Amino acid sequence: MGPVSAAAWETAMDRALALAADAGPDVPIGAVVLGPEGDVVGQGVNRREADGDPTAHAEIVALREAARAVGEWRLEGCTLVVTLEPCTMCAGAIVLSRVARVVFGAWDQKAGAAGSIRDVLRDSRLNHRPEVIGGVAEERCAALLEDFFATHRG
Ligand SMILES: [Zn+2]
């Protein structure tokens, strides 16, 4: 365990949820990167529709912002907090960024790559494996997505 406490990542999850709720036309997913001391060094929201960019997932946006803030691509000691279990692309980017810990809210049984359909984050063949904590504020994270899809389906 690093210096960043569970209370700090729960506060970050609140922030990620607030970001997600403001995602506009996009599926509401938000992410926050905490530095080794628990300060916010990056944040992002899903911008796939807004930017017309298939890679503009909340985690990627947040990791890029964090790397700019930290001044290098290595995000050692950082914690990524995201409202939904990362997909395969984002899990790959997380491993490459070397964040120490990933905290996520809702599970994604269709595309999740942190235990649901596969587990990229804890693949023993990769040379970096972050600590993974899933299901934080799970009900609120899932409800946000369910409300979005209920509204956009009819
Ligand atoms: Zn993703």
Side-chain angles (χ1 to χ4, degrees):
M1 296 287 287
V4 177
S5 67
W9 72 57
E10 282 164 12
T11 302
M13 186 64 84
D14 288 341
R15 186 174 179 132
L17 273 162
L19 288 166
D22 208 23
D26 275 285
V27 176
I29 302 162
V32 170
V33 179
L34 299 176
E37 308 306 320
D39 49 317
V40 174
V41 294
Q43 63 181 31
V45 66
N46 180 25
R47 297 190 49 85
R48 196 170 52 171
E49 299 291 342
D51 292 354
D53 178 355
T55 72
H57 289 192
E59 300 95 312
I60 303 293
V61 174
L63 288 171
R64 284 185 172 143
E65 188 173 298
R68 279 196 299 273
V70 169
E72 65 162 315
W73 61 266
R74 290 179 195 83
L75 298 175
E76 286 164 2
C78 293
T79 299
L80 177 88
V81 179
V82 58
T83 56
L84 182 67
E85 181 183 358
C87 72
T88 302
M89 172 185 72
C90 291
I94 287 163
V95 170
L96 293 174
S97 77
R98 299 188 187 168
V99 300
R101 182 189 292 121
V102 177
V103 177
F104 67 86
W107 294 88
D108 185 350
Q109 301 296 343
K110 289 182 181 159
S116 286
I117 65 165
R118 59 175 65 87
D119 196 344
V120 172
L121 297 180
R122 285 168 290 199
D123 188 324
S124 62
R125 294 165 294 186
L126 300 178
N127 67 357
H128 177 76
R129 286 182 297 282
E131 180 186 4
V132 180
I133 297 131
V136 172
E138 180 177 2
E139 287 183 13
R140 283 191 293 150
C141 292
L144 192 62
L145 290 164
E146 284 160 13
D147 290 350
F148 176 86
F149 287 116
T151 304
H152 288 73
R153 245 180 227 128

